[in-house]
């Protein structure tokens, strides 16, 4: 039935037999159901045969690039201030002591003024805007005043509020980018300290009553931390940088010409192959009927060791070394890609802000 597709080797002292069977094998590893042998004028013998081979076409798997998203509040609404701060960096949002004058005057605390009787120690709370007949808050000389807070902002009189966006505030760090599967984000509080200056104390080691607050330096962390961890960026098409993947296969028929060994009992490994077949799908044995020894077709094995297996077809796209970690802000533990980490200093696996990693 020729279902095995093997070649048989048999020898005889006479062309018409009898033959002694030596062995069967797959010529150069391929099945073949159409084969013949012929000899050139110089005595070199060849095995010509057809076989089928599948050619693989390879492309790296696509990796989705991040989409930019605005920072959200826990209720799902946009946090515009934090979106800007984490996208551009605003020094005023990064100043822990921005209302130091108001703190000195307790204007950052809710309104609470008490008058204490000097004789019996009784206290009374003075509502905001209330004075006595002398226009004073407390009665002099029988009372003295205690000021716990002078907040005068809004109907609730809570006081002046800082614009400092504290990364330790859970509401500021709960949201993390998650637009595509390739993104692996860490909380903003971790990115805030993802650098040599980001690990400083939020107050820069300055007490709230420090007299030098007026001359303090404001901002600067954008150059030595990953505080801008959600920079605005475009969203180009997916990158073909993932694992090499077979995207197409094409099965075709080939002709192989193999040089035989000097005893004619095996192929030598020297061969030439090309895609095609005989006209009208004739068998290769028809070459003999035409009285051809292969020369009429320019068929020989050449002189190179070769294989009948066709190499995979690649393109200019190649798998990237960091295809699976390019958009990771950490790998195992938070901050393990910080500027001061061994991964960054030795391997170049440094903080990710997505904008710097997006490519075209």
């Amino acid at each position: 039935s020729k279902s095995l597709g093997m070649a048989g080797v048999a020898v005889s002292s006479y062309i018409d037999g009898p033959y002694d069977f030596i062995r069967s094998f797959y010529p150069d590893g391929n099945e073949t159901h159409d084969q013949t042998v012929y000899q050139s004028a110089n005595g070199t013998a060849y095995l010509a045969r057809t076989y089928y081979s599948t050619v693989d076409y390879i492309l790296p798997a696509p990796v989705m690039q991040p989409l930019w998203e605005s920072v959200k509040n826990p209720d799902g609404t946009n946090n515009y201030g934090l979106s800007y701060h984490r996208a551009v960096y605003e020094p005023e949002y990064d100043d822990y002591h921005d209302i130091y004058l108001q703190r000195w005057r307790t204007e950052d605390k809710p309104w609470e003024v008490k008058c204490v009787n000097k004789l019996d120690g009784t206290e009374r709370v003075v509502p905001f805007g209330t004075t006595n007949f002398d226009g004073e808050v407390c009665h002099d000389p029988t009372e003295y005043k205690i000021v716990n807070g002078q907040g005068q902002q809004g109907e609730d009189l809570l006081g002046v509020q800082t614009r400092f966006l504290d990364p330790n505030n859970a509401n500021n760090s709960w949201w993390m980018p998650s637009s595509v599967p390739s993104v692996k984000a860490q909380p903003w509080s971790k990115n805030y300290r993802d650098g040599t200056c980001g690990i400083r104390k939020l107050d820069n080691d300055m007490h709230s009553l420090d007299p030098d607050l007026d001359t303090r330096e404001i901002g600067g962390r954008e150059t030595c931390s990953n505080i801008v961890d959600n920079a605005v960026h475009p969203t180009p098409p997916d990158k073909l940088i993932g694992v090499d993947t077979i995207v197409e296969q094409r099965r075709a028929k080939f002709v192989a010409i193999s040089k035989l060994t000097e005893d004619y009992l095996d192929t030598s490994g020297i061969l030439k192959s090309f895609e095609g077949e005989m006209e009208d799908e004739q068998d290769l044995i028809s070459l003999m009927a035409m009285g051809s020894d292969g020369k009429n077709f320019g068929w020989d094995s050449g002189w190179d060791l070769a294989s009948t297996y066709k190499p995979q077809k690649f393109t200019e796209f190649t798998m990237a070394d960091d295809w699976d970690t390019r958009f990771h802000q950490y790998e195992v533990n938070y901050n393990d890609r910080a500027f001061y980490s061994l991964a960054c200093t030795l391997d170049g696996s440094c903080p990710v802000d997505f904008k710097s990693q997006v490519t075209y």
Side-chain angles (χ1 to χ4, degrees):
S1 64
K2 300 182 180 180
S3 61
L4 292 178
M6 303 179 76
V9 179
V11 297
S12 175
S13 299
Y14 305 96
I15 191 170
D16 56 351
Y19 284 89
D20 293 327
F21 179 76
I22 303 299
R23 68 188 182 98
S24 60
F25 69 109
Y26 290 110
D28 300 299
N30 296 115
E31 290 187 19
T32 180
H33 297 277
D34 179 17
Q35 58 189 321
T36 189
V37 293
Y38 61 89
Q39 189 178 41
S40 66
N42 64 8
T44 302
Y46 300 97
L47 171 66
R49 70 211 182 267
T50 61
Y51 66 96
Y52 286 90
S53 182
T54 299
V55 180
D56 297 332
Y57 293 82
I58 308 298
L59 274 178
V63 175
M64 296 180 68
Q65 304 206 73
L67 286 74
W68 186 82
E69 305 173 77
S70 59
V71 179
K72 306 296 190 298
N73 293 309
D75 61 3
T77 58
N78 289 330
N79 187 324
Y80 295 104
L82 195 55
S83 289
Y84 183 82
H85 190 38
R86 292 176 63 173
V88 179
Y89 184 74
E90 173 51 57
E92 299 296 335
Y93 287 154
D94 197 30
D95 182 12
Y96 181 87
H97 298 289
D98 62 337
I99 56 170
Y100 72 95
L101 287 175
Q102 288 77 11
R103 287 178 178 140
W104 289 357
R105 298 191 292 256
T106 68
E107 292 174 355
D108 63 319
K109 298 179 180 179
W111 175 272
E112 184 180 353
V113 177
K114 296 179 180 180
C115 294
V116 182
N117 190 288
K118 296 179 180 179
L119 295 178
D120 57 16
T122 57
E123 298 180 356
R124 64 182 180 89
V125 177
V126 180
F128 174 70
T130 302
T131 58
N132 59 19
F133 55 87
D134 289 328
E136 300 292 337
V137 173
C138 295
H139 303 310
D140 186 42
T142 60
E143 293 178 327
Y144 64 90
K145 181 168 57 177
I146 297 178
V147 178
N148 293 323
Q150 296 192 87
Q152 301 178 23
Q153 301 295 316
E155 296 180 358
D156 51 10
L157 304 178
L158 290 178
V160 176
Q161 301 298 305
T162 180
R163 292 190 299 172
F164 173 65
L165 295 176
D166 188 351
N168 292 330
N169 185 327
N171 289 335
N172 290 338
S173 287
W174 80 274
W175 180 87
M176 294 181 287
S178 59
S179 59
V180 295
S182 56
V183 165
K184 184 179 180 180
Q186 64 182 7
W188 183 54
S189 60
K190 304 302 180 181
N191 287 328
Y192 190 93
R193 291 170 173 77
D194 224 352
T196 54
C197 70
I199 59 176
R200 298 180 303 181
K201 291 184 178 179
L202 298 179
D203 61 4
N204 287 339
D205 278 332
M206 298 185 75
H207 192 273
S208 59
L209 298 178
D210 194 315
D212 293 328
L213 286 176
D214 188 47
T215 58
R216 73 195 183 284
E217 292 184 5
I218 300 176
R221 296 179 195 246
E222 78 278 13
T223 61
C224 55
S225 74
N226 197 26
I227 189 171
V228 181
D229 68 338
N230 192 44
V232 178
H233 61 80
T235 305
D238 299 352
K239 293 289 289 184
L240 295 176
I241 59 173
V243 175
D244 285 340
T245 304
I246 299 174
V247 295
E248 188 67 56
Q249 291 183 311
R250 187 175 67 87
R251 189 162 179 80
K253 193 173 185 178
F254 294 83
V255 176
I257 312 297
S258 293
K259 180 182 178 182
L260 297 180
T261 55
E262 292 185 358
D263 59 5
Y264 300 168
L265 299 182
D266 202 352
T267 55
S268 64
I270 297 174
L271 64 88
K272 181 187 298 182
S273 67
F274 53 89
E275 184 177 342
E277 61 181 352
M278 293 289 290
E279 188 176 33
D280 298 327
E281 299 184 358
Q282 296 181 69
D283 293 335
L284 289 177
I285 194 65
S286 62
L287 289 173
M288 303 297 103
M290 291 185 291
S292 172
D293 62 0
K295 291 188 294 182
N296 292 346
F297 296 90
W299 285 2
D300 61 42
S301 63
W303 299 98
D304 296 326
L305 291 171
S307 171
T308 54
Y309 290 95
K310 298 304 175 182
Q312 295 177 318
K313 301 294 185 180
F314 292 87
T315 67
E316 70 273 18
F317 301 102
T318 57
M319 183 176 70
D321 293 337
D322 63 342
W323 72 268
D324 58 339
T325 61
R326 180 171 297 186
F327 304 116
H328 289 190
Q329 292 187 325
Y330 74 100
E331 296 305 326
V332 179
N333 301 306
Y334 290 150
N335 299 115
D336 59 8
R337 295 185 65 164
F339 284 118
Y340 51 81
S341 68
L342 291 178
C344 182
T345 57
L346 297 182
D347 301 331
S349 181
C350 298
V352 168
D353 62 10
F354 304 116
K355 179 181 180 180
S356 301
Q357 290 72 42
V358 167
T359 55
Y360 293 90

